[in-house]
Amino acid sequence: MFVGRKKELDYLEENYKKSGNQIFVMYGHKGVGKTSLMFRFASEKDCVYYNARPCSGPQQIYFWQRDLGKTGLSSFGEIFESIDEGRAFGKRVLIIDEFQNIVKYAPEFMTSLITFLKSAGNEYMVLLASSSISFVENTLVSKIGSLALGISGFFKVPQLRFMDCVAYFKNFSTRDCMEVYSILGGIPAYWARFSDKLSLEENIKRCILHPDSALFEEGMQIITGELRDVNVYCTILSCLAEGKNKLNDLHLHTGFSRAKISVYIKNLMQLELVEKVFSFDNASSMNAKKGVYRISHSFLLFYFKFMFANYSELTAKTPAAFYETYVAPFLGELHEQSFKKICMEYLDLLQQKDKLPIRPVSVGEWVGKDGTIDIVMQNEDWDNILCYCNWKKECFDLQDFTRCIEVAKKARLTPDYVMVFSAGSFEQELMVQAEEVGNIELVDINQL
């Protein structure tokens, strides 16, 4: 089922309506929905689609001409001429999926494409799609040189939002969707493996932990598909999943030099698999932790926290027994981390609609030694919105709120406005105070 992507579809449609030929590079994580997005965009247009394989240039031409139902074509130029035969009604869309598989092994491809567009009988919007973020961001331009000037734009397809997850799983409650989103993230290819007619536990056992399931080895495939030195990356990721999230922690545990760890983590951050969290810039650093690292890719965190760390037991035990022992007792930690991202998505929507009490110019998190402010938003006048996200407690009470304000004092951040998001309920006394004070907003999960 196709959900979301209005912004992306509007972007493609606006550019399609412009006159002249265009080449757009679309890229993002495998399974994020690039192909579905392109097919939806081109559904009522004259479209030619080709999915490139990792093979030599001549073999690529052989496959492509066969897909076109042609024979005797011996170059990419001839392939393009064959595609251009006949007049189209309106601009044509040419989609080349996983195009890095051509560029890597056939350096003449981009030259042939750009030369073709200069003399083509029809107008074309060319979409070059790739699941290799590293190739597009770090290698493509150097690989094709000045030919990169012929590219009209680069378009990174983001993961889908939590609200899209709610629309996708119609039989799940809001809380169910939150728990699913904390494991699968915004990758629709993963969503398609789950059923909203089964419980989260049953989905995990059937679709992730079972050795014959499609997602059983997905965590490792994410790493091997983009990175070399897999052993080093797996070592670092397993440490982060275990909570060793500072540079010195990683150094002491792995024995790797700090310089080496920094290089490898930088690569993981470029691929949006890991993030570095700093305490909010304009807050006190006295009681703050230095920058900490986290696995930001939801499914990768699940894989390394539960499956990679306990791989022997994963192989030896049944999915049910493994879930009961190694997953169920600790799953709430993943839900808690994801809940903060969902709350941030809600704040982004409020900001877009100009419904926040201030116009924030900076957003961050304050990671303290004795507590955390989950989200800090600040405007040009240093007015703050401090946000706390409660996943664990069934009822968030006045005492919990007081502790939050104590954390703000340690951060030396004035709580001009306070928002508390809770997966549970709010104590009546706190609700009364929030109404009386006026600068406190309490948000439950049904509002998200």
Side-chain angles (χ1 to χ4, degrees):
M1 181 175 67
F2 187 89
V3 295
R5 301 301 188 201
K6 182 181 184 305
K7 180 179 179 181
E8 291 84 352
L9 287 169
D10 288 346
Y11 174 85
L12 291 172
E13 198 64 48
E14 288 171 10
N15 282 283
Y16 175 79
K17 291 176 180 177
K18 296 177 182 177
S19 61
N21 295 314
Q22 302 145 310
I23 301 174
F24 287 93
V25 175
M26 297 181 60
Y27 67 107
H29 287 293
K30 179 184 175 184
V32 81
K34 300 178 295 298
T35 303
S36 297
L37 170 61
M38 292 186 295
F39 281 165
R40 177 57 63 99
F41 161 70
S43 60
E44 297 181 1
K45 299 177 176 64
D46 184 0
C47 176
V48 178
Y49 174 81
Y50 178 67
N51 196 326
R53 293 74 151 170
C55 59
S56 68
Q59 187 69 8
Q60 201 79 247
I61 293 167
Y62 169 77
F63 283 134
W64 202 340
Q65 70 173 345
R66 193 177 66 178
D67 288 0
L68 292 169
K70 306 284 186 178
T71 58
L73 306 179
S74 59
S75 68
F76 289 110
E78 291 179 2
I79 290 284
F80 293 133
E81 288 174 10
S82 175
I83 290 171
D84 196 44
E85 289 175 358
R87 275 282 169 186
F89 182 75
K91 184 183 289 189
R92 277 182 165 172
V93 178
L94 173 58
I95 300 173
I96 304 174
D97 218 343
E98 303 300 349
F99 81 101
Q100 77 279 359
N101 289 328
I102 306 181
V103 175
K104 285 181 180 179
Y105 310 113
E108 74 276 15
F109 166 75
M110 286 300 296
T111 301
S112 299
L113 174 60
I114 291 173
T115 301
F116 159 71
L117 291 177
K118 291 178 180 178
S119 59
N122 300 289
E123 282 194 344
Y124 284 86
M125 182 179 195
V126 181
L127 301 179
L128 303 178
S130 176
S131 296
S132 178
I133 296 174
S134 177
F135 176 80
V136 172
E137 294 187 344
N138 303 321
T139 306
L140 176 61
V141 173
S142 61
K143 186 82 174 175
I144 65 177
S146 61
L147 295 173
L149 297 173
I151 297 174
S152 308
F154 289 80
F155 180 19
K156 192 170 189 176
V157 181
Q159 294 191 27
L160 288 171
R161 298 170 297 176
F162 168 68
M163 61 187 297
D164 299 317
C165 184
V166 174
Y168 188 92
F169 293 107
K170 297 186 181 300
N171 294 320
F172 278 156
S173 67
T174 302
R175 188 183 180 96
D176 290 337
C177 288
M178 287 181 173
E179 293 178 349
V180 168
Y181 196 76
S182 73
I183 297 168
L184 304 182
I187 306 290
Y190 299 166
W191 298 358
R193 304 295 180 182
F194 270 35
S195 169
D196 58 8
K197 295 180 174 61
L198 300 174
S199 66
L200 176 65
E201 176 182 342
E202 198 60 34
N203 272 300
I204 291 173
K205 290 188 292 191
R206 289 189 183 191
C207 306
I208 301 177
L209 301 181
H210 195 286
D212 295 332
S213 65
L215 297 178
F216 186 77
E217 292 289 353
E218 178 63 19
M220 188 57 65
Q221 290 174 7
I222 293 170
I223 302 303
T224 57
E226 286 277 9
L227 299 163
R228 299 177 181 176
D229 297 334
V230 172
N231 62 315
V232 178
Y233 287 109
C234 286
T235 300
I236 292 172
L237 287 166
S238 61
C239 289
L240 293 177
E242 199 175 284
K244 298 177 177 65
N245 54 13
K246 293 189 289 186
L247 184 60
N248 196 52
D249 295 338
L250 293 168
H251 164 67
L252 292 175
H253 183 81
T254 65
F256 299 152
S257 70
R258 292 176 178 82
K260 179 175 182 175
I261 293 170
S262 296
V263 169
Y264 281 79
I265 283 188
K266 180 182 178 182
N267 293 337
L268 291 168
M269 291 172 65
Q270 287 178 340
L271 295 175
E272 298 182 351
L273 302 178
V274 167
E275 62 185 354
K276 188 173 185 179
V277 182
F278 295 96
S279 283
F280 190 73
D281 282 346
N282 293 335
S284 169
S285 60
M286 184 183 303
N287 296 300
K289 287 185 179 180
K290 293 183 179 179
V292 296
Y293 298 100
R294 293 176 186 160
I295 298 176
S296 54
H297 189 286
S298 298
F299 188 81
L300 201 65
L301 176 58
F302 180 94
Y303 179 80
F304 276 94
K305 185 175 184 63
F306 301 124
M307 300 170 72
F308 189 87
N310 305 290
Y311 205 79
S312 298
E313 296 300 319
L314 179 65
T315 307
K317 289 182 178 293
T318 65
F322 184 88
Y323 177 88
E324 189 68 27
T325 304
Y326 296 102
V327 179
F330 312 103
L331 200 51
E333 296 172 22
L334 267 65
H335 299 335
E336 184 176 13
Q337 183 170 325
S338 178
F339 185 52
K340 297 176 184 180
K341 295 180 181 179
I342 293 170
C343 296
M344 189 66 239
E345 181 182 311
Y346 175 79
L347 291 167
D348 284 339
L349 290 173
L350 290 182
Q351 184 177 356
Q352 290 171 24
K353 296 178 181 180
D354 202 23
K355 290 188 176 182
L356 290 174
I358 64 172
R359 291 178 179 270
V361 294
S362 56
V363 179
E365 174 180 350
W366 191 79
V367 183
K369 297 173 183 177
D370 301 310
T372 297
I373 306 175
D374 297 308
I375 304 168
V376 181
M377 310 183 86
Q378 193 174 82
N379 67 7
E380 292 178 342
D381 298 322
W382 289 29
D383 297 322
N384 301 305
I385 304 176
L386 307 184
C387 305
Y388 301 89
C389 307
N390 166 57
W391 177 265
K392 291 180 179 178
K393 290 204 66 175
E394 291 185 8
C395 181
F396 193 89
D397 57 30
L398 189 58
Q399 189 175 0
D400 297 319
F401 182 79
T402 302
R403 281 195 291 267
C404 291
I405 300 304
E406 287 299 318
V407 174
K409 289 179 181 178
K410 292 179 180 180
R412 296 185 182 177
L413 287 168
T414 306
D416 300 297
Y417 303 92
V418 181
M419 297 182 73
V420 181
F421 299 88
S422 180
S425 61
F426 294 102
E427 181 190 48
Q428 183 64 31
E429 189 177 356
L430 175 59
M431 294 171 67
V432 170
Q433 178 166 323
E435 182 138 358
E436 291 176 351
V437 174
N439 69 335
I440 303 171
E441 184 174 351
L442 307 178
V443 184
D444 66 38
I445 60 172
N446 293 317
Q447 293 173 254
L448 300 175

